[in-house]
Amino acid sequence: MDQNEMKKYDMPWYDWAVFAVPALFFIGLGIESALGPSPADGVIHRDFRAIAHWFDPVFFQYNLVMALLTVLVVPSLALSYIQAMANRKERRLQNEVPPERRAEVRRRMGRRASFSSYRGSVWLTTTVVLLGTSILLLFKPVSVDGGTGVDFGLGANMLIMGPFAELYEKNPDAYYSHLIRNQIAFQFGFLGAYVYFVGSVVRAYFTMDLTSHTFVDGAIRMIVASILALVLSFAYDFVLPGDVPSVTRNVATADGGPAEAPSASSPVSEPGDKQDQSPGMEAALPANLSLLPIVAFFFGFYPKRASLALERVALKVMKNIIPGDGYRALPLSMLAGMSYSHELRLEREGFDNVENLSNADAVDLAVRTCFSYPQLKQWIDAALLASHLREDYPYFVRRSGLSASEELHYFLSACDAHNIDGVQQLVAALSTDPAEATSWKLRLTALKILLDKNAADNKCSDAEGSEHRPGQIVSLGVGLGVGERSP
């Protein structure tokens, strides 16, 4: 067993705390629910033990099991990936990368073969999921004195209520209604982000791309999506106006029995109304309120698209105030084989356009992402050609069939070997207009010179035994395949 194999089994005792702390918390609540004294016995808890007596014991314990499984998904997948998948990725890369880069791959993959490289990100994500799941499954707001739950009759903070905080004394029923709406938006925003996070982690697990960045990205997504859904819930009544549902409160009578006290917003009974209507059913919830969880879930599942939609709306509103920018970078979507999920993955590594990707190192990205070395090499090569041809790149690919700088270099080299003017051959296929043909000839001639120069520089570097450095012009040779073919 080599050193990397030993690392994945070398896990200090304190790393197991990420499993033990949530488990002990939920198990303790379960024991308190089953065996602890309840408020009916005259015992009032002023800490987390009070949560155990807010619900029916069986229902509460079922929620605890779901919450525990939801939280333990995070560290369990990280540990399972280290044990089973990390070495598989290293073996795949060893077969794909050039021989002179294999030692680098082994060294860098060795750092990922232990739980310590995931410790901070796993703790962060586990904490976020623990807090969000507790609010989603264990949270119970109440608005009447003597209820079992979080007594919002004492008030709420500005984050939850925002401008509706002034309703606390003016209109308690409307205050409680807005509070419930904001809580629903926050909870379902978190739920949408968590569902997306689980899907992305599972995908990263099976594509051998589960890194610490995956967990940090998921934690930030859950935080941002929850807050975004909460903030947008303040504008819900403005977008979908509706009546605030009336809330029937029960107050104690002199003999201790409950007596119904209609709120100020309750409708007044008219002659002919049904008298057998059950208490608390005078007013139905607005139909548009049922859309709130769906909208909040959408903002949680697609926070980037939701924020992009908001940005476009804001730019249209303020187009006369904010001048347009001059951002002209080429999108990654113009490269063959690039999907939306691939764009998001490369963007997470800092490559959000064609120009950035053209300066990337294929071996470096192969270690950091799920993509194979040949695929990254092809994309970087295509990005290099696209960065030179700009908006004419798709047209060039359609007319010539050459999609990467490596292919173009081989074509021109083969033409030179047979005393054929390769540039003229391409110009004839691209345009028959004399003005356009002159422009294409100049651009292709300049590109041929750059490719030949960098191919020669790479040969000199290989002869001297030195490695190329990404980010310089010499990195054009990353996609040229010069001296990079595995035996």
Side-chain angles (χ1 to χ4, degrees):
M1 185 176 295
D2 58 18
Q3 185 178 2
N4 289 349
E5 286 284 342
M6 292 291 295
K7 282 184 178 180
K8 67 180 185 180
Y9 295 105
D10 184 17
M11 187 169 173
W13 63 268
Y14 48 81
D15 281 337
W16 292 101
V18 74
F19 294 90
V21 171
L24 292 175
F25 175 71
F26 289 120
I27 291 174
L29 288 179
I31 295 175
E32 176 66 27
S33 174
L35 305 177
S38 64
D41 299 327
V43 179
I44 304 298
H45 297 292
R46 298 188 178 274
D47 51 28
F48 286 108
R49 289 176 295 176
I51 303 175
H53 305 287
W54 289 353
F55 302 91
D56 175 79
V58 176
F59 177 74
F60 179 73
Q61 291 162 20
Y62 176 75
N63 282 344
L64 287 180
V65 173
M66 288 196 301
L68 181 60
L69 293 177
T70 301
V71 173
L72 292 185
V73 162
V74 178
S76 298
L77 283 176
L79 182 60
S80 177
Y81 178 81
I82 294 169
Q83 301 289 335
M85 306 297 288
N87 287 339
R88 290 179 57 183
K89 181 175 182 178
E90 181 181 351
R91 289 194 296 268
R92 188 196 72 182
L93 291 177
Q94 290 291 344
N95 295 328
E96 294 176 351
V97 302
E100 63 270 14
R101 306 290 300 272
R102 291 175 182 172
E104 175 188 349
V105 170
R106 183 173 183 81
R107 182 178 67 256
R108 296 183 59 180
M109 290 301 300
R111 304 193 195 109
R112 299 169 178 248
S114 64
F115 193 82
S116 60
S117 60
Y118 294 82
R119 183 182 299 133
S121 59
V122 168
W123 266 109
L124 172 65
T125 310
T126 302
T127 303
V128 172
V129 174
L130 174 62
L131 296 176
T133 304
S134 300
I135 295 176
L136 186 64
L137 297 178
L138 309 180
F139 191 77
K140 180 184 177 182
V142 295
S143 62
V144 295
D145 296 336
T148 56
V150 179
D151 184 9
F152 281 104
L154 301 177
N157 57 38
M158 296 300 295
L159 176 64
I160 297 177
M161 294 307 302
F164 303 117
E166 64 178 354
L167 298 175
Y168 177 66
E169 295 181 352
K170 295 180 180 180
N171 191 343
D173 291 338
Y175 175 86
Y176 184 72
S177 175
H178 284 294
L179 185 144
I180 293 298
R181 296 186 187 194
N182 297 345
Q183 289 297 314
I184 289 174
F186 184 86
Q187 293 170 354
F188 279 85
F190 167 81
L191 181 61
Y194 178 79
V195 172
Y196 182 91
F197 166 72
V198 171
S200 64
V201 169
V202 171
R203 173 184 172 87
Y205 181 92
F206 288 107
T207 57
M208 294 178 284
D209 188 30
L210 190 59
T211 65
S212 59
H213 296 169
T214 307
F215 293 103
V216 174
D217 179 73
I220 295 176
R221 174 183 289 267
M222 285 182 275
I223 295 173
V224 172
S226 302
I227 297 177
L228 180 62
L230 174 62
V231 172
L232 291 176
S233 67
F234 294 125
Y236 188 77
D237 287 333
F238 178 77
V239 178
L240 295 174
D243 296 332
V244 176
S246 63
V247 179
T248 301
R249 296 176 180 269
N250 292 330
V251 297
T253 60
D255 58 357
E260 185 177 326
S263 62
S265 59
S266 298
V268 179
S269 299
E270 297 291 342
D273 290 346
K274 293 183 180 180
Q275 300 298 326
D276 57 346
Q277 191 175 16
S278 60
M281 296 297 293
E282 297 90 346
L285 291 176
N288 59 13
L289 188 58
S290 61
L291 295 176
L292 181 57
I294 300 175
V295 174
F297 186 90
F298 169 79
F299 279 108
F301 199 84
Y302 298 110
K304 183 177 179 180
R305 296 186 180 183
S307 59
L308 180 61
L310 293 176
E311 181 181 352
R312 289 178 177 176
V313 172
L315 289 177
K316 288 183 179 180
V317 173
M318 298 183 294
K319 61 181 179 181
N320 296 327
I321 302 175
I322 302 177
D325 52 26
Y327 182 72
R328 297 183 59 251
L330 300 176
L332 293 174
S333 57
M334 69 163 39
L335 303 181
M338 186 70 65
S339 67
Y340 178 70
S341 60
H342 295 160
E343 288 186 59
L344 291 180
R345 185 64 187 92
L346 291 174
E347 182 180 348
R348 194 189 306 167
E349 297 297 331
F351 302 97
D352 55 355
N353 54 56
V354 167
E355 289 81 358
N356 290 343
L357 186 61
S358 66
N359 292 291
D361 181 6
V363 174
D364 177 65
L365 274 182
V367 172
R368 293 159 54 186
T369 65
C370 61
F371 307 115
S372 65
Y373 174 76
Q375 177 65 79
L376 288 167
K377 189 166 172 290
Q378 173 69 20
W379 278 338
I380 295 172
D381 219 19
L384 175 61
L385 182 59
S387 64
H388 284 282
L389 299 179
R390 308 297 299 173
E391 288 79 7
D392 294 326
Y393 172 74
Y395 176 77
F396 177 83
V397 174
R398 287 196 307 270
R399 300 293 295 177
S400 68
L402 304 174
S403 61
S405 60
E406 178 183 10
E407 298 172 359
L408 178 60
H409 181 256
Y410 284 160
F411 171 80
L412 295 176
S413 298
C415 288
D416 290 342
H418 293 82
N419 297 322
I420 299 175
D421 189 350
V423 172
Q424 188 61 39
Q425 295 286 331
L426 291 173
V427 170
L430 291 171
S431 177
T432 57
D433 181 74
E436 291 185 1
T438 302
S439 175
W440 274 112
K441 184 174 182 179
L442 176 61
R443 295 166 69 182
L444 292 177
T445 301
L447 188 56
K448 179 178 183 298
I449 294 173
L450 290 176
L451 294 176
D452 290 341
K453 177 181 181 300
N454 284 277
D457 291 342
N458 285 336
K459 287 183 179 180
C460 294
S461 299
D462 292 339
E464 295 174 359
S466 61
E467 296 182 352
H468 69 272
R469 291 170 292 179
Q472 298 180 351
I473 297 180
V474 182
S475 64
L476 295 172
V478 172
L480 299 181
V482 181
E484 289 189 357
R485 294 197 174 274
S486 302

